């Protein structure tokens, strides 16, 4: 088996080429929250762009450590003959110094590689974040060409700005930021961060030149477009001169880990180790043969993209064993909802889990994720999110816990692991009881119809959760269509698990609840005039007939609550009014509240976030619903995936964006790497492949 290879093409037009180099990005993650991200031209355009963003213990969280290694190629006469980095400033505009020298960019199994040529000198630059570390490794391979007597110096200047990765780019650089040489290794430290940045060189003898520089004019174009502070200052205390000879390989390691960990890491070839790890992920996915799935190059890319989100989270308070201190620490796993700014969210984790772990054969990770979140159940709810660097979860969600049931069901189907379901059943029963009697945020069953109602002033509880200040854009208080589809699915699953493992004295009560909810849903939610489902019933302003994709969950979950006679109508409505080449709009264009563009400051963006913006993850429930209703027409759903497959090479290379503008040409917005987008794309491709195999 080979790792997938993706080449990125650039325009022949110089202006278009420069635009591509600043708008297209790469992402590497380390499986522990640490990451590396930047534009292809090495111009920082986001506050999150850096060679190393290290996930440090609470309360720090993810910390911007090393933003750039500014490379200069210096000839034998001491003159600079080329640069491989870039910046943008108000004074000088956009400067991509490596533009003219860049010959190609590619992803080798998801690892970014740049190929430059300066005269007769060829330079290959590659990056890797060793798994489980807070370390970035940059490898330079230099070929000086046909003249063996030619010598050159590679000059590297580390640019730093120690701050939280979500902090403003105008966070001041500290005057105390300084470098110290330690036996051919170096530390860069600042008072703000107790952990120093450690730098080591292999394959060369570096010489360090103390030359403090502050660069105050760095302009971050993406931050400006999003209405944030966008002028920042980077700091460097000096630079390194590396004398190189023909066909030399140099490895630069930058780390926030202890020196002993760095030493252990460098005992082997970090690139080969990571390459082997990625190959094993593909082999693991292939060997599980879930649903007779096949793996084309795109699927292989998606499997590696999925790996970017699965993490071992930093220890939190609930991670401590409650009893014997000698008890072995449980294996903790979670899912980062999206890069660069999201943490791990309960809703996103449960929606993403089937695609990221089950469709890729990572059953142990799936089990660990389910057990991890089970330990955080409070008052019948799993956390909505864990704040950056925080120890306690936040629980303002009406649907994450119901998605927990769906994730468990898909895990059981994929693995046959009944023991885990039996282990979790008492907690699942507590969750159902809490919802029936009432829990936080007004989440409770209405005894008159068995439907789940939710809502509290000033709190957003569904996945359409945009909030700007005190303004909840789409509050959806009342009985939301997808919440009740999830509720029915959860109690139906619960009744099955009780029958399989539990006490029979609970079955009659649960069975009555299932029947009542099913009957009420079909009586209350069908909007005959529009031939689709209401989005809300019994809401603040009565029933809401807005045409939204939330209705798809009434027929896409394990147990569909919607009667079969309306399946085709719901699907037809979504195909006609919501489906785009990149996912589904969150609101039909005919609505007076529709927003077709997504731009500006946080208030303007949140006003559009769920009011017409296209969400790529919704392709999953769309394909699930279609394949359930049309088991012999998988070819139609296959066509819906083409645009997203092409998008893998357009924004964050090898990843899928969170959202797109509702109006064509559907510009990518939001996070440029989103967990549930990748997870649901994997599920959609799996379903299409299964139907094609069945109908062959």
């Amino acid at each position: 088996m080979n790792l997938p290879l993706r080449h990125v093409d650039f325009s022949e037009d110089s202006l278009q080429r420069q635009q591509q180099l600043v708008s297209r990005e790469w992402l590497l993650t380390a499986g522990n929250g640490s990451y590396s991200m930047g534009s292809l031209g090495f111009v920082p355009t986001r506050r999150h762009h850096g060679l190393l963003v290290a996930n440090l213990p609470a309360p720090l969280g993810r910390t911007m450590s090393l933003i750039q290694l500014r490379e200069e190629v210096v000839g034998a006469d001491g003159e600079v003959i080329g640069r491989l980095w870039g910046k943008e400033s108000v004074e000088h505009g956009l400067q991509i110094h490596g533009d003219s020298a860049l010959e190609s960019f590619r992803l080798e199994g998801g690892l970014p590689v740049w190929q430059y040529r300066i005269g007769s000198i060829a330079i290959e630059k590659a990056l890797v974040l060793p798994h489980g570390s807070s370390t970035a490794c940059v490898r330079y391979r230099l070929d000086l060409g046909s003249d063996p007597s030619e010598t050159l110096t590679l000059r590297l200047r580390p640019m730093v700005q120690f701050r939280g990765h979500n902090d403003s780019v105008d966070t001041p650089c500290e005057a105390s930021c300084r470098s110290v040489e330690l036996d051919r290794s170096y530390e860069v430290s600042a008072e703000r961060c107790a952990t120093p940045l450690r730098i080591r060189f292999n394959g060369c003898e570096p010489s360090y030149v103390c030359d403090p520089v502050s660069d105050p004019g760095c302009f971050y174009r993406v931050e400006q477009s999003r209405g944030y502070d966008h002028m920042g200052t980077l700091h460097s205390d000096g630079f390194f001169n590396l004398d190189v000879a023909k066909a030399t390989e140099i490895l630069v390691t930058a780390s926030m880990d202890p020196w002993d960990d760095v030493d252990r890491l460098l005992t082997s070839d970090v690139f080969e180790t990571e390459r082997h790890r990625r190959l094993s992920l593909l082999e693991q996915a292939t060997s599980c043969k879930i649903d007779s799935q096949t793996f084309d190059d795109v699927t292989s890319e998606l499997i590696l993209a999925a790996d970017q989100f699965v993490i071992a989270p930093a220890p939190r308070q609930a991670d401590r064993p409650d009893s014997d201190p000698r008890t072995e620490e449980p294996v903790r796993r979670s899912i980062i909802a999206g890069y660069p700014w999201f943490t791990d969210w309960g809703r996103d984790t449960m929606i993403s889990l089937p695609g990221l772990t089950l469709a890729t054969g990572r059953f142990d990770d799936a089990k660990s994720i389910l057990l991890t979140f089970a330990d955080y159940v409070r008052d019948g709810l799993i956390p909505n999110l864990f704040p950056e660097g925080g120890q306690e979860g936040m629980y303002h969600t009406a649907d994450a816990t119901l998605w927990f049931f769906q994730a468990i069901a898909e895990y059981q189907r994929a693995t046959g692991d009944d023991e885990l379901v039996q282990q979790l059943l008492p907690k699942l029963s507590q969750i159902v009881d809490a919802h029936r009697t009432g829990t936080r945020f007004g989440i409770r069953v209405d005894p008159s119809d068995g439907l789940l109602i939710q809502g509290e002033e000033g709190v957003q509880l569904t996945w359409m959760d945009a909030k700007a200040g005190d303004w909840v854009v789409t509050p959806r208080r009342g009985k939301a269509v997808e919440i009740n589809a999830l509720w029915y699915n959860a109690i139906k699953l619960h009744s099955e698990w009780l029958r399989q493992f539990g006490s029979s004295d609970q079955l009659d009560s649960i069975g009555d609840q299932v029947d009542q909810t099913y009957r009420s849903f079909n009586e209350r939610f069908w909007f005959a005039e529009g031939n689709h489902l209401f989005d809300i019933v019994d809401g603040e302003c009565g029933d809401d007939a807005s045409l939204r994709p939330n209705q798809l969950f009434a027929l896409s979950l394990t147990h569909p609550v919607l009667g079969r006679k309306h399946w085709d109508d719901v699907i037809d409505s979504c195909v006609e009014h919501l489906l785009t080449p990149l996912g589904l709009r969150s609101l039909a264009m005919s609505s007076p509240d529709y927003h077709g563009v997504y731009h500006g400051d946080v208030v303007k963006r949140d006003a559009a976030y769920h009011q017409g913006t296209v969400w790529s993850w919704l392709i999953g429930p769309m394909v699930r619903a279609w394949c359930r209703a049309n088991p012999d027409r998988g070819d139609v759903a296959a066509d819906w995936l083409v645009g997203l497959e092409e998008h893998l090479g357009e924004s964050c290379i090898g990843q899928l964006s969170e959202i797109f503008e509702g109006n064509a040409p559907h510009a990518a917005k939001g996070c440029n790497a989103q967990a549930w987008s990748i997870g649901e794309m994997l599920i959609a491709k799996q379903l299409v492949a299964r139907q094609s195999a069945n109908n062959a």
Side-chain angles (χ1 to χ4, degrees):
M1 175 174 287
N2 295 319
L3 289 170
L5 181 65
R6 175 176 286 275
H7 288 276
V8 175
D9 296 323
F10 299 106
S11 173
E12 296 292 333
D13 179 82
S14 60
L15 291 179
Q16 290 184 10
R17 176 184 171 92
Q18 287 208 343
Q19 178 60 31
Q20 291 168 340
L21 287 172
V22 293
S23 63
R24 295 179 180 178
E25 297 168 88
W26 47 268
L27 170 70
L28 287 173
T29 69
N32 61 359
S34 299
Y35 69 91
S36 178
M37 187 183 216
S39 68
L40 298 194
F42 285 98
V43 177
T45 65
R46 300 179 186 266
R47 70 180 76 183
H48 308 93
H49 279 175
L51 285 176
L52 178 60
V53 181
N55 193 24
L56 301 180
L60 292 175
R62 288 174 289 183
T63 301
M64 180 62 67
S65 307
L66 175 63
I67 290 186
Q68 285 181 314
L69 278 176
R70 292 186 173 178
E71 307 104 329
E72 293 182 340
V73 181
V74 182
D77 59 359
E79 294 295 320
V80 175
I81 60 176
R83 295 180 174 88
L84 307 184
W85 57 280
K87 65 171 283 187
E88 189 167 12
S89 65
V90 173
E91 181 179 0
H92 300 291
L94 178 62
Q95 298 172 300
I96 308 179
H97 299 300
D99 178 17
S100 59
L102 181 63
E103 289 189 325
S104 67
F105 172 84
R106 65 188 184 273
L107 287 184
E108 292 184 356
L111 300 178
V113 181
W114 292 258
Q115 194 72 43
Y116 298 94
R117 182 166 295 277
I118 301 172
S120 62
I121 303 165
I123 304 175
E124 180 186 274
K125 177 179 178 179
L127 300 180
V128 68
L129 263 63
H131 197 69
S133 73
S134 292
T135 301
C137 297
V138 186
R139 184 184 66 198
Y140 300 92
R141 286 176 170 167
L142 301 99
D143 188 334
L144 305 188
S146 57
D147 184 359
S149 64
E150 186 172 2
T151 62
L152 61 84
T153 297
L154 182 62
R155 181 173 296 162
L156 302 178
R157 179 182 284 278
M159 305 299 296
V160 301
Q161 188 189 43
F162 292 100
R163 58 172 172 80
H165 77 141
N166 283 328
D167 290 350
S168 173
V169 296
D170 66 359
T171 301
C173 288
E174 297 165 309
S176 61
C177 188
R178 61 193 181 279
S179 299
V180 178
E181 182 175 0
L182 300 169
D183 189 24
R184 300 181 184 177
S185 299
Y186 302 83
E187 290 186 351
V188 183
S189 59
E191 290 180 0
R192 181 181 292 113
C193 183
T195 303
L197 174 68
R198 299 174 170 96
I199 301 176
R200 176 162 291 170
F201 299 86
N202 293 77
C204 65
E205 294 290 335
S207 62
Y208 178 69
V209 178
C210 183
D211 180 32
V213 168
S214 288
D215 188 347
C218 297
F219 172 77
Y220 296 77
R221 58 168 60 193
V222 173
E223 300 306 311
Q224 182 193 47
S225 72
R226 292 171 56 83
Y228 296 123
D229 294 323
H230 51 273
M231 296 295 295
T233 299
L234 304 184
H235 178 81
S236 175
D237 200 49
F239 59 85
F240 301 92
N241 284 325
L242 315 177
D243 293 327
V244 299
K246 186 175 181 180
T248 297
E249 179 172 306
I250 297 171
L251 183 70
V252 184
T253 302
S255 181
M256 299 291 278
D257 290 330
W259 279 119
D260 287 347
D261 292 347
V262 176
D263 291 338
R264 282 193 294 269
L265 192 69
L266 296 179
T267 58
S268 60
D269 184 332
V270 290
F271 282 85
E272 184 58 30
T273 299
E274 180 62 17
R275 182 178 181 277
H276 184 268
R277 191 188 73 84
R278 291 172 180 241
L279 273 172
S280 68
L281 292 175
L282 297 182
E283 292 167 354
Q284 184 176 9
T286 303
S287 63
C288 73
K289 297 181 180 178
I290 305 172
D291 295 324
S292 301
Q293 61 187 338
T294 57
F295 292 99
D296 54 16
D297 287 343
V298 169
T299 303
S300 294
E301 280 191 274
L302 291 170
I303 292 168
L304 296 180
D307 178 59
Q308 306 263 44
F309 302 99
V310 180
I311 66 163
R316 292 162 175 150
Q317 287 179 357
D319 294 341
R320 302 292 185 263
D322 295 328
S323 53
D324 192 335
R326 295 169 296 178
T327 302
E328 184 179 352
E329 288 277 359
V331 176
R332 298 300 187 188
R333 293 290 182 271
S334 191
I335 290 174
I336 291 289
Y339 291 95
W341 53 76
F342 284 123
T343 60
D344 43 339
W345 288 52
R347 173 191 303 116
D348 299 60
T349 294
M350 297 307 147
I351 293 173
S352 304
L353 182 147
L356 300 188
T357 62
L358 302 180
T360 59
R362 300 176 66 157
F363 302 144
D364 288 343
D365 286 331
K367 181 177 181 178
S368 294
I369 291 167
L370 294 173
L371 289 171
T372 296
F373 275 83
D375 282 348
Y376 284 93
V377 172
R378 303 288 185 272
D379 300 323
L381 301 173
I382 68 170
N384 186 40
L385 65 92
F386 293 97
E388 187 75 52
Q391 291 278 314
E392 296 284 348
M394 301 175 66
Y395 287 82
H396 54 296
T397 172
D399 56 348
T401 314
L402 305 178
W403 279 111
F404 185 46
F405 283 74
Q406 176 67 12
I408 293 170
E410 297 209 36
Y411 170 82
Q412 184 185 33
R413 184 186 71 84
T415 65
D417 184 359
D418 293 341
E419 290 184 5
L420 178 66
V421 182
Q422 191 169 10
Q423 177 183 346
L424 294 176
L425 188 55
K427 190 154 290 189
L428 298 177
S429 295
Q430 293 171 11
I431 290 171
V432 170
D433 289 344
H435 281 68
R436 295 177 73 182
T437 58
T439 184
R440 304 183 191 183
F441 310 112
I443 300 170
R444 68 192 189 281
V445 169
D446 183 342
S448 68
D449 57 13
L451 297 176
L452 198 66
I453 191 168
Q454 53 80 33
E456 183 175 293
E457 185 71 31
V459 182
Q460 68 281 34
L461 296 175
T462 74
W463 82 273
M464 292 188 162
D465 58 357
K467 184 179 179 182
D470 294 330
W471 176 37
V472 178
V473 182
T474 49
R476 306 183 71 232
R477 294 193 291 273
K479 298 167 183 174
V481 63
E482 83 280 10
I483 299 297
N484 279 280
L486 285 160
W487 170 240
Y488 173 80
N489 183 63
I491 57 178
K492 182 73 171 177
L493 288 168
H494 184 232
S495 67
E496 291 180 349
W497 291 329
L498 283 175
R499 188 172 293 108
Q500 185 177 4
F501 308 112
S503 172
S504 59
D505 59 5
Q506 296 177 277
L507 283 173
D508 290 342
S509 173
I510 292 297
D512 292 343
Q513 178 77 75
V514 169
D515 293 340
Q516 183 189 27
T517 303
Y518 182 90
R519 183 172 58 254
S520 296
F521 184 96
N522 283 276
E523 290 174 355
R524 299 293 312 281
F525 276 96
W526 182 246
F527 177 50
E529 183 180 342
N531 224 32
H532 60 81
L533 295 177
F534 282 106
D535 191 58
I536 300 282
V537 299
D538 294 345
E540 297 173 279
C541 301
D543 297 344
D544 181 1
S546 300
L547 178 52
R548 294 186 183 274
N550 303 313
Q551 61 186 315
L552 283 170
F553 299 108
L555 61 150
S556 66
L557 299 171
T558 296
H559 292 293
V561 66
L562 182 64
R564 177 63 181 87
K565 66 179 181 179
H566 291 312
W567 288 7
D568 294 336
D569 295 326
V570 167
I571 291 171
D572 290 345
S573 294
C574 290
V575 170
E576 180 179 356
H577 299 286
L578 304 178
L579 184 64
T580 77
L582 293 161
L584 273 72
R585 294 184 180 93
S586 46
L587 181 65
M589 298 177 73
S590 57
S591 171
D593 293 324
Y594 173 79
H595 287 65
V597 295
Y598 180 89
H599 65 87
D601 61 21
V602 65
V603 174
K604 291 180 179 178
R605 285 183 281 112
D606 279 345
Y609 201 36
H610 300 291
Q611 300 286 60
T613 299
V614 173
W615 289 77
S616 51
W617 79 275
L618 293 172
I619 199 63
M622 182 75 245
V623 170
R624 291 173 194 254
W626 174 268
C627 289
R628 170 168 279 159
N630 303 275
D632 59 343
R633 294 298 312 279
D635 57 315
V636 174
D639 291 340
W640 299 340
L641 307 182
V642 173
L644 287 169
E645 290 182 359
E646 293 175 348
H647 183 67
L648 288 168
E650 293 175 348
S651 183
C652 184
I653 309 302
Q655 279 288 351
L656 294 178
S657 296
E658 175 192 15
I659 56 175
F660 302 83
E661 289 188 333
N663 291 349
H666 308 297
K669 300 290 182 175
C671 279
N672 55 13
Q674 195 75 3
W676 58 14
S677 301
I678 293 293
E680 287 300 279
M681 184 64 171
L682 275 162
I683 292 294
K685 285 184 68 65
Q686 184 184 90
L687 288 173
V688 168
R690 183 203 307 170
Q691 286 206 346
S692 297
N694 292 340
N695 296 326

